[in-house]
């Protein structure tokens, strides 16, 4: 079972090097000191002030505040303490049966009951969302298993960064497959979120895993991936409309072929952010001259599949990513400067590079991603002598 870690970062079972999510229980215990301190302060002051000054109504704030962060039991307990405190004030000043204090006590009991009920509703919704997140992330780990750490002369690292947004999961995807002459890689991003997105991603991944090992060119492989998305969309269109109201489903993708014995990488870009090559202290975007349409849109945007070749030598690192990285924003709504950040890490191996990138991205967005993101780093290593 994959683990859901702090700051909404999701890691496959093979990647257990992150710091676990800080416990919320300890923080809530500290917060409970606030309503108790409020009750104590109001009680003491209300007993000491002149008789015509009444601070008892402020005790209502204690259970109301508690309901915003604690469960129904804690809220009910704080409410009960507040009622006892109000009774102590009434006895100390006049009598518990005094009409003014009696009304205050009754009002405090009613408010405590209401606050406890809303705390129950909030806790129930939190538990439901937590269960949904667990289910969706487990499903996604089945669809998207971790990539192998080695593939021929390549060293590979991958990470999936999950957004903290209800129980939605994105359609980001990646896969690798060995052929007789090299390694083929896929990274993509299905349109939308939820089950529709993961369905599109699973179709592309399934088609890639079935066909990528065959001795065929990248145009034929892209055609097989396109056929998988297109056939599913035609089937869906014949049965039901898409729930989000969109007319077309599509998947942006990069399909790469890295030969074992040739220092190059061949790729087809289907509407996806270009990969970044870290070579000799430089960060080079591998922008293609021709870009093919996203998978699923070939009937709408007719275009030829263009294969382009770029140098990829020993110790070079190739970074593949989805737009969840480059579209991440800080508190000022500025986009994450991926290329500038990578310039300082060009000498890193894939695992170290992704560790640094993940930590830096987490700090940049303040621990919360608005969209899922996938990262794959590939390094060609020198052949063993």
């Amino acid at each position: 079972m994959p683990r859901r870690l702090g700051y909404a970062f999701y890691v496959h079972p093979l990647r257990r090097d992150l710091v676990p999510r800080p416990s919320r229980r300890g923080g809530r215990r500290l917060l409970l000191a606030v309503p108790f301190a409020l009750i104590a302060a109001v009680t003491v002051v209300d007993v000491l002030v002149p008789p015509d000054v009444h601070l008892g109504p402020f005790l209502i704030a204690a259970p109301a505040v508690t309901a915003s962060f604690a469960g129904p039991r804690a809220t009910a307990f704080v409410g009960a303490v507040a009622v006892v405190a109000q009774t102590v004030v009434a006895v100390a000043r006049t009598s518990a049966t005094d009409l003014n204090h009696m009304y205050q006590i009754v009002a405090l009991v009613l408010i405590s009951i209401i606050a406890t009920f809303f705390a129950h509703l909030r806790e129930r919704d939190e538990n439901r969302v937590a269960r949904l997140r667990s289910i969706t992330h487990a499903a996604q780990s089945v669809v998207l298993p971790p990539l192998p750490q080695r593939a021929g002369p390549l060293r590979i690292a991958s990470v999936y960064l999950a957004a903290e947004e209800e129980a939605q999961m994105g359609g980001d995807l990646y896969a690798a497959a060995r052929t007789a002459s090299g390694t083929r890689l896929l990274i993509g991003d299905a349109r939308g979120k939820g089950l529709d997105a993961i369905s599109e991603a699973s179709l592309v991944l399934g088609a890639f895993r079935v066909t990528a090992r065959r001795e065929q060119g990248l145009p034929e492989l892209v055609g097989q991936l396109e056929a998988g998305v297109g056939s599913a969309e035609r089937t869906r269109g014949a049965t039901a409309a898409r729930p989000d109201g969109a007319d077309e489903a599509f998947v942006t993708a990069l399909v790469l072929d890295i030969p074992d014995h040739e220092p190059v990488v061949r790729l087809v870009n289907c509407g996806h952010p270009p990969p970044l090559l870290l070579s000799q202290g430089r960060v080079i975007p591998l922008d293609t001259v021709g870009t093919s349409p996203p998978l699923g849109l070939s009937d709408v945007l007719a275009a030829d599949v263009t294969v382009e070749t770029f140098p990829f030598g020993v110790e070079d690192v190739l970074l593949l990513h989805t737009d969840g990285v480059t579209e991440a924003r800080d508190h000022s709504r500025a986009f994450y400067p991926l290329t500038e950040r990578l310039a300082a890490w060009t000498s890193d191996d894939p695992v170290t590079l992704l560790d640094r990138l993940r930590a830096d991205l987490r700090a940049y967005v303040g621990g919360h991603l608005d969209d899922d993101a996938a990262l794959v780093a590939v390094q060609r290593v020198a052949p063993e002598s």
Side-chain angles (χ1 to χ4, degrees):
M1 176 70 68
R3 296 195 299 174
R4 187 83 163 94
L5 301 182
Y7 303 101
F9 284 82
Y10 168 81
V11 182
H12 286 297
L14 296 182
R15 296 301 312 275
R16 302 183 181 274
D17 52 336
L18 291 183
V19 178
R21 175 191 292 248
S23 173
R24 293 182 179 179
R25 186 172 298 176
R28 288 182 177 178
R29 287 175 178 173
L30 292 176
L31 286 176
L32 279 175
V34 174
F36 286 121
L38 175 64
I39 292 172
V42 170
T43 302
V44 171
V45 175
D46 203 14
V47 170
L48 298 177
V49 295
D52 58 338
V53 178
H54 299 280
L55 300 180
F58 284 103
L59 291 173
I60 291 176
V65 168
T66 306
S68 67
F69 63 85
R73 292 183 179 179
T75 303
F77 180 70
V78 170
V81 173
V83 170
V84 171
Q86 181 63 65
T87 304
V88 170
V89 171
V91 172
R93 300 191 62 169
T94 57
S95 169
T97 59
D98 176 79
L99 188 60
N100 180 45
H101 288 107
M102 184 177 295
Y103 280 138
Q104 291 184 33
I105 292 172
V106 171
L108 185 54
V109 170
L110 292 177
I111 293 296
S112 298
I113 293 174
I114 294 172
T116 300
F117 175 70
F118 281 105
H120 164 71
L121 294 181
R122 181 186 54 77
E123 186 177 67
R124 184 190 64 182
D125 290 341
E126 286 182 352
N127 291 336
R128 178 181 60 84
V129 171
R131 287 194 298 269
L132 288 175
R133 283 177 179 158
S134 177
I135 293 170
T136 53
H137 292 149
Q140 197 158 33
S141 70
V142 174
V143 175
L144 195 67
L147 298 183
Q149 296 179 359
R150 287 296 299 265
L154 303 180
R155 185 180 299 157
I156 303 174
S158 60
V159 66
Y160 190 97
L161 313 179
E164 186 84 28
E165 184 176 347
E166 291 299 323
Q168 296 291 338
M169 56 184 175
D172 292 14
L173 58 100
Y174 47 68
R178 286 287 293 164
T179 67
S181 59
T183 302
R184 285 179 170 171
L185 294 167
L186 167 71
I187 189 168
D189 185 0
R191 183 182 186 277
K193 291 185 178 181
L195 293 179
D196 276 342
I198 203 64
S199 175
E200 301 294 343
S202 63
L203 287 171
V204 175
L205 287 169
F208 180 83
R209 289 163 183 159
V210 169
T211 60
R213 292 181 174 83
R214 299 175 185 172
E215 289 298 324
Q216 57 181 348
L218 287 184
E220 291 76 17
L221 175 56
V222 172
Q224 294 291 332
L225 302 181
E226 168 67 33
V229 177
S231 62
E233 186 64 16
R234 287 190 293 271
T235 300
R236 181 186 292 111
T239 56
R242 290 173 59 84
D244 57 6
D247 295 329
E248 296 289 342
F250 61 86
V251 180
T252 66
L254 282 174
V255 186
L256 303 92
D257 187 11
I258 305 178
D260 287 347
H261 305 293
E262 190 176 356
V264 298
V265 55
R266 302 183 182 94
L267 66 89
V268 174
N269 189 332
C270 300
H272 197 78
L276 300 173
L277 179 66
L278 284 64
S279 178
Q280 299 178 356
R282 298 180 299 162
V283 180
I284 307 169
L286 301 186
D287 294 310
T288 55
V289 176
T291 300
S292 302
L295 303 174
L297 293 182
S298 62
D299 293 340
V300 180
L301 304 173
D304 294 332
V305 175
T306 303
V307 180
E308 300 194 32
T309 303
F310 298 91
F312 184 49
V314 173
E315 300 304 323
D316 288 350
V317 175
L318 195 62
L319 180 69
L320 317 177
H321 63 90
T322 57
D323 59 10
V325 178
T326 52
E327 293 182 1
R329 297 173 183 260
D330 64 4
H331 65 281
S332 67
R333 307 305 293 166
F335 290 114
Y336 182 70
L338 177 61
T339 302
E340 289 80 354
R341 291 292 208 269
L342 290 176
W345 307 325
T346 54
S347 61
D348 290 340
D349 62 87
V351 173
T352 303
L353 176 65
L354 291 194
D355 284 345
R356 290 190 177 186
L357 181 55
R358 180 180 56 235
D360 187 64
L361 182 61
R362 179 182 66 186
Y364 187 84
V365 301
H368 177 84
L369 281 173
D370 293 328
D371 191 13
D372 290 11
L375 290 159
V376 177
V378 185
Q379 182 180 44
R380 186 187 291 275
V381 298
E384 298 180 357
S385 55

